[in-house]
Amino acid sequence: MPRKFIKRFMPDHEMIKKQKALKVFGNLLYNPNLWCLNRRSAAGAFAVGLFMAFVPLPSQMIMAAGLAILFGVNLPLSVALVWISNPVTMPVLFYFAYKVGAFCMNTPPQPFHFELSWQYLSDQMSTIGPPFLLGCAICGTVAAIAGYFGIRGLWRYSVVRSWQQRSTR
């Protein structure tokens, strides 16, 4: 069942409540709906986590926690799913998002070169910024929708399969 599989990888909710970065949410973390794991909360957590994985800001986990609280979905799962865009996968995901945005805006992709300076960053954000941000929004939305309906379908399939196995016994 997906619940057993997901619970193996979820951190303890007491450990998450003690995180300094999440103290800004105060007593909102004590809502029991944020910690239960059912089909609705898991699917919503996947949607929140996958969408926030494509947000190119450094505070993705805090924003994912805020959205999880706002929508009342599983908090640990939504925060953990943000780590799909970790330092190893982030260049690939964001380059793909840039290519998607450039394709949608019908602009030719700029050649890639990198310098570590503020001048370079400000120049590049004026040229590649709009396609990159549009691509991040599109990829995040598509990933969130696919994650939401994928988890709901997988959960439903698992429940139906377990019913069928029980009925054959």
Side-chain angles (χ1 to χ4, degrees):
M1 197 167 206
R3 179 182 308 201
K4 292 176 187 174
F5 179 76
I6 292 172
K7 278 198 174 202
R8 271 192 285 173
F9 299 104
M10 281 181 35
D12 183 39
H13 69 273
E14 292 299 325
M15 183 184 74
I16 291 177
K17 286 179 185 176
K18 293 178 184 176
Q19 293 293 321
K20 290 180 183 179
L22 297 178
K23 295 286 186 193
V24 298
F25 297 116
N27 290 334
L28 294 174
L29 292 177
Y30 295 104
N31 181 357
N33 291 332
L34 299 176
W35 309 103
C36 70
L37 188 61
N38 54 37
R39 183 173 59 191
R40 182 197 162 277
S41 69
F46 264 78
V48 167
L50 291 174
F51 179 79
M52 291 310 299
F54 280 95
V55 172
L57 294 174
S59 57
Q60 294 171 319
M61 289 176 59
I62 296 171
M63 290 186 288
L67 286 176
I69 291 169
L70 179 70
F71 294 125
V73 297
N74 190 282
L75 179 68
L77 193 55
S78 63
V79 170
L81 282 165
V82 168
W83 279 95
I84 287 175
S85 65
N86 57 55
V88 174
T89 61
M90 195 177 290
V92 175
L93 291 175
F94 286 165
Y95 184 68
F96 177 73
Y98 168 70
K99 294 288 260 186
V100 167
F103 175 77
C104 289
M105 291 181 73
N106 201 17
T107 60
Q110 302 292 321
F112 180 75
H113 66 283
F114 182 73
E115 291 177 27
L116 191 56
S117 69
W118 287 110
Q119 181 64 34
Y120 169 78
L121 288 176
S122 65
D123 290 345
Q124 289 299 319
M125 283 314 286
S126 65
T127 58
I128 68 168
F132 173 62
L133 294 175
L134 177 65
C136 285
I138 291 171
C139 290
T141 303
V142 168
I145 291 169
Y148 180 81
F149 288 112
I151 289 300
R152 284 191 70 96
L154 179 66
W155 200 289
R156 173 83 175 139
Y157 171 76
S158 174
V159 168
V160 168
R161 195 178 80 208
S162 68
W163 285 347
Q164 290 172 346
Q165 288 174 348
R166 266 190 244 147
S167 68
T168 59
R169 288 186 219 163

